[in-house]
Amino acid sequence: MARKLLIIGEMRLVLFALLIMLMPTLTQAENTSRQSKSSKPYGGTLVWGTRNKPSIINPLFTTSSVSMSLLDLFFNRLVRINSKGGIEPDLAESWDISSDGLVWTFYLRKGVRFHDGVECTASDVKFTYDKIMELKKDPFGFYNDFLKEIRVLDTHIVQITLKRSFNSLLSSLVREILPKHLLENVDLRSCPFNFHPVGTGPFRFKQWREDNQITLEYNPDYYEGRPYLDKVIVKVYPDARDLWTTLMRKEVDYATFIEREDYEIIKDDPAFRGFAIPWDSYYAIYYNFNDSLLFDKRIRYAIAYGIDRKVLIEKLAYGYGRECTGPFYPGSALFNPSLRPYEYNPNKSIELLREAGWKDEDNDEILEKEGEELEIRILVDTRSEVYKKLIMFIRQQLQQIGIKIKVILYDKESMLTQEFLEQNRAQAQLKFCMAMVDDSEPLVVEDWHSKESPRANKLWSYRNEEVDELFELGEITPAKEKRKLIYQKIHQLIYADQPACFLYFPFVFHAVSAQFENVDEFFTLYMPYYTMKDWYIKEKAEKTFN
């Protein structure tokens, strides 16, 4: 028995010695495992360069400038749009929908706090949407047209009741939630909050200097975990050249909407990552359907066949463009993939014009009919250099098929009065227009629906009863696949009608220092700024593991 105990004791001593010997290895393995789970180290600063001076930072009033982009970093919404354009939970972790689609109940995350430590609750959600309606800050008309009531059912439960079914409700709820306790009894237009925002987002406000430099610091209590970066500093530069110079000096880490020429330089530079992304807007010649000449579909078709979009993209956009077939974004679910851009076929154009009774009677290369030249008068905004180049190209191309282009210049929208249009007999307008990416683009709908709308900023209305009916049907059809077919049919009808000569989608260009990792999710069409919380600095990762 004593011998047995002695053997057991010796075995324990051996095991203990082995354990002591293995301790450094086990500790190293544990550390390596921990690092692999959190291989994106904390720390560092992103310097963001921009040409757009910040305006006030209040979601109720902010509509442009870099301030619009900063909203994503300061605030959260009920739901948010991800890098693929999908709707995903944000402050609302889940929701229920009644069988008739009229009552939506949202369940908020518990423990989400504003930057001052106060919890975000259903009362803040109701307060935000009430203020949007009260101040008429609903640019798309959703709240007045569809919203019946918002109720707080519990601290973390809010219920929205609709007047009628509305499939784009979630997209319409992508609005930043404000702190009721700070804004309930203040003058919202002049309160200190506008220059010292307090939200629930991944970064919190630190400083706004007189030179418009804004500093944000990480939110240690962010519900998805603190961002990897410690700070984001926004610096404003007077023009593109100054911004470019600082980017080259590595004084700036990130810049959006850089010039194409600059993108060509940095795209092959290992110190940077460049991104070229097709924009969700397109160039087109919008027609005045009240004009007897353009009311003839053969004229519209002749113009479509008479412009070489491939050459246009190569010459004017240096290859960075996508041909456009209508007001739907290529690759989106609503886009009709069976439609092809009108091929460049000047002989087909001339044939159509002859069929419409136009021919060159005096050999001056411009077609005539009953003594009148075939002339189209196009409105062009002189503030845009792209428009100037486009109209020169269009004029040259259409002259080859016998159409004379008369350019009517303007330099501000207020010039486009009814008197001005009639006096100049405007027949078309060169425009840069938003495309439909999903079924929550009310401005695009209003562009192509016959109803008048001051929001759509259209000089003339396109009228097609079937298109109107399909837009209205798409608004209330709950089945996603059926909605997709409805919008693809709308695309087909507009393509066949040619109410505009659709030209191309341009690209936009962005740059970021190559030392920043995990940035791809951001550089998409949707550019969800909240994903900056996941950016980290590669050099710090290397130091962590070495």
Side-chain angles (χ1 to χ4, degrees), residues 244-311:
W244 172 250
T245 301
T246 54
L247 189 66
M248 290 294 96
R249 288 181 189 151
K250 298 184 180 179
E251 296 170 12
V252 162
D253 301 311
Y254 156 69
T256 54
F257 302 100
I258 63 174
E259 301 294 334
R260 179 199 57 80
E261 297 88 346
D262 297 337
Y263 168 76
E264 295 287 3
I265 294 171
I266 62 102
K267 70 178 182 179
D268 298 319
D269 187 333
F272 297 96
R273 292 193 63 194
F275 295 86
I277 302 170
W279 216 342
D280 59 349
S281 297
Y282 59 90
Y283 291 104
I285 307 169
Y286 272 54
Y287 296 136
N288 176 3
F289 265 57
N290 299 322
D291 181 79
S292 58
L293 174 66
L294 291 170
F295 188 78
D296 187 337
K297 188 182 288 188
R298 292 168 297 188
I299 305 297
R300 305 196 300 273
Y301 277 16
I303 294 171
Y305 284 116
I307 296 176
D308 192 336
R309 292 163 184 77
K310 287 185 171 62
V311 171

Side-chain angles (χ1 to χ4, degrees), residues 195-211:
F195 297 94
H196 189 145
V198 176
T200 55
F203 290 89
R204 60 191 185 188
F205 178 84
K206 183 178 175 70
Q207 184 186 43
W208 191 329
R209 296 191 339 194
E210 288 186 6
D211 61 357

Side-chain angles (χ1 to χ4, degrees), residues 353-354 357-362 366-369:
L353 294 173
R354 278 195 193 128
W358 295 91
K359 56 185 179 180
D360 187 1
E361 296 175 341
D362 54 7
I366 298 298
L367 304 182
E368 292 89 16
K369 184 166 120 176

Side-chain angles (χ1 to χ4, degrees), residues 79-82 84-88 104 138-143 146 166-175 280 327-329 332-335 434-447 455 470-471 474-477 480 483-484 487 490 525-526:
V79 293
R80 66 191 183 192
I81 298 174
N82 61 30
K84 296 180 180 178
I87 298 290
E88 64 182 30
W104 295 62
D138 169 24
F140 305 131
F142 152 70
Y143 300 99
F146 292 94
F166 183 51
N167 293 311
S168 299
L169 173 65
L170 290 177
S171 297
S172 299
L173 294 178
V174 180
R175 297 294 296 260
D280 59 349
F328 292 87
Y329 188 74
S332 72
L334 312 183
F335 180 85
M434 186 185 295
M436 203 163 194
V437 180
D438 56 43
D439 52 11
S440 63
E441 304 280 4
L443 284 180
V444 182
V445 174
E446 292 180 12
D447 247 351
R455 294 189 298 259
L470 287 171
F471 270 130
E475 207 171 61
I476 61 172
T477 300
K480 190 173 183 179
R483 284 205 312 276
K484 181 179 85 170
Y487 286 105
I490 293 172
L525 171 65
Y526 302 94

Side-chain angles (χ1 to χ4, degrees), residues 188-236:
L188 290 169
R189 295 183 183 276
S190 61
C191 62
F193 180 93
N194 297 338
F195 297 94
H196 189 145
V198 176
T200 55
F203 290 89
R204 60 191 185 188
F205 178 84
K206 183 178 175 70
Q207 184 186 43
W208 191 329
R209 296 191 339 194
E210 288 186 6
D211 61 357
N212 280 318
Q213 177 174 304
I214 297 176
T215 301
L216 297 75
E217 61 183 2
Y218 74 90
N219 177 6
D221 301 318
Y222 188 55
Y223 82 83
E224 289 186 301
R226 67 150 284 184
Y228 291 104
L229 296 172
D230 284 342
K231 292 180 183 179
V232 175
I233 297 176
V234 180
K235 294 185 176 182
V236 180

Side-chain angles (χ1 to χ4, degrees), residues 63-80:
T63 57
S64 61
S65 82
V66 70
S67 296
M68 195 74 177
S69 304
L70 291 174
L71 294 180
D72 249 11
L73 302 185
F74 286 124
F75 300 94
N76 290 98
R77 293 119 169 191
L78 270 185
V79 293
R80 66 191 183 192

